[in-house]
Amino acid sequence: MSWADLNVAIVGATGAVGETLLSLIEERNLQMRRLDLIASERSAGRTRSFRGQQYRVHDLAHFDFSDVDIAFFSAGTSISQQWARKAAQQGALVIDNTNAFRMDADSPLAVPQVNGDLLGTRPRSGIIANPNCSTIPIVRLIAPLDRHFHVRKLIVSTYQAASGAGLTGMEDLRIDARQTLSGAQEAPHAGRFKVPLAFNVIPSIDSMLDTGFTLEEQKVVQESRKILRRPDLQVSATAVRVPVLNCHSAAVYFECEAPLDRQRMLALLRDAPEVTVYDGQGNTPFPTPRFMGNANHVHVGRIRTVPDMPESGWFWVVSDNLRIGAALNAMQVAEQVVAKGVC
Ligand SMILES: NC(=O)c1ccc[n+]([C@@H]2O[C@H](COP(=O)([O-])OP(=O)(O)OC[C@H]3O[C@@H](n4cnc5c(N)ncnc54)[C@H](OP(=O)(O)O)[C@@H]3O)[C@@H](O)[C@H]2O)c1
């Protein structure tokens, strides 16, 4: 099977992740038999120009997936809970970007560079889940370190961009920043954030759980254990929203069974696929979200060992949450299943 034989649908095509998927299809020059763009009734009937053709946006509520080979879902967890199983039952292989199926035993939680071996057969559920946008870059760096040094503990602090809350999140940050800079008298604009984000940081993303951790923090814990196949891994996280438009960052502390060696760590990370390593030298000693280079790479710097704790190290990771953390991971999953003839 090749892409030219496939019918592909994008649910959430008008959103931040959906738009990024369309950019990737264009950049990769993927030619498919049919491409359906799907969103809510709010966008249904609108047309979207793509590669010189006009596409009408379909309403998910009235869409039939029986003719679809691959359906990308990125329209929110509740939408996936309601529709993804139906799409899979109608025959589509669903690649889901939401939180709906990540911990489902019948749905692989896939990061092709880490556990791509799971993508050789159609999953029982017909659904392949994509991890959370902060988890993906972290496991892509921890996996090679784990193989060599055996990681036993991970402490993660994330610095997450406004785009993690979709197109509206980015617009909310722009509005609040503009109003604040102009000295407007009106109340600061919070939009979909819990408090206004411009010139601020917010230590709370997604809902608060009884544990005192947020759902976003719990995702990092549960998902990294599942992807790395390390149920014993000790993991804890604090997830923070920062006034950056796009690209998430994280400071990651890790503790291993074996003593660390910085040169070996650098070599392992340089060998990891699609990773750019910053060694503290030159004009760009470390990555930053605003000026990150290749958006299809995970960027890692500040790689260091702790002087008095030889089994402990840190790194700083930056990656495009819309690409690495969502659309690109989903696209790379699709490319593997197509190459392996799974759909
Ligand atoms: N942003 C990220 O970095 C990121 C990373 C990983 C995963 N995700 C997940 O991906 C999903 C989408 O995120 P996003 O950032 O792209 O959000 P977004 O920019 O807000 O886009 C949401 C999309 O969902 C569609 N939608 C909303 N309600 C719908 C309904 N009832 N039926 C059909 N379509 C509906 C919207 O269509 P309309 O235009 O018609 O409203 C729009 O296309 C979320 O579950 C998010 O958690 C996002």
Side-chain angles (χ1 to χ4, degrees), residues 11-19 38-44 46 57-61 73-80 82-83 97-99 102 130-134 136 161-169 192 206 219 246 248 320-323 325-327:
V11 180
T14 54
V17 176
E19 285 287 349
I38 303 164
S40 76
E41 60 181 0
R42 291 180 290 276
S43 311
R46 287 192 205 157
V57 178
H58 302 281
D59 181 357
L60 175 61
F73 268 69
S74 50
T77 297
S78 61
I79 307 300
S80 285
Q82 194 181 347
W83 295 101
N97 263 306
T98 78
N99 192 34
R102 289 176 184 156
N130 264 270
N132 169 261
C133 42
S134 293
I136 294 172
S163 63
L167 291 176
T168 318
R192 65 173 8 183
D206 214 328
K219 290 173 198 166
N246 188 38
H248 289 354
D320 185 330
N321 47 292
L322 294 175
R323 285 181 174 245

Side-chain angles (χ1 to χ4, degrees), residues 47-79:
T47 51
R48 159 76 158 87
S49 152
F50 180 61
R51 294 198 290 206
Q53 272 189 54
Q54 295 300 315
Y55 288 81
R56 202 168 65 81
V57 178
H58 302 281
D59 181 357
L60 175 61
H62 300 111
F63 192 81
D64 179 2
F65 287 87
S66 357
D67 214 12
V68 170
D69 299 292
I70 296 181
F72 294 100
F73 268 69
S74 50
T77 297
S78 61
I79 307 300

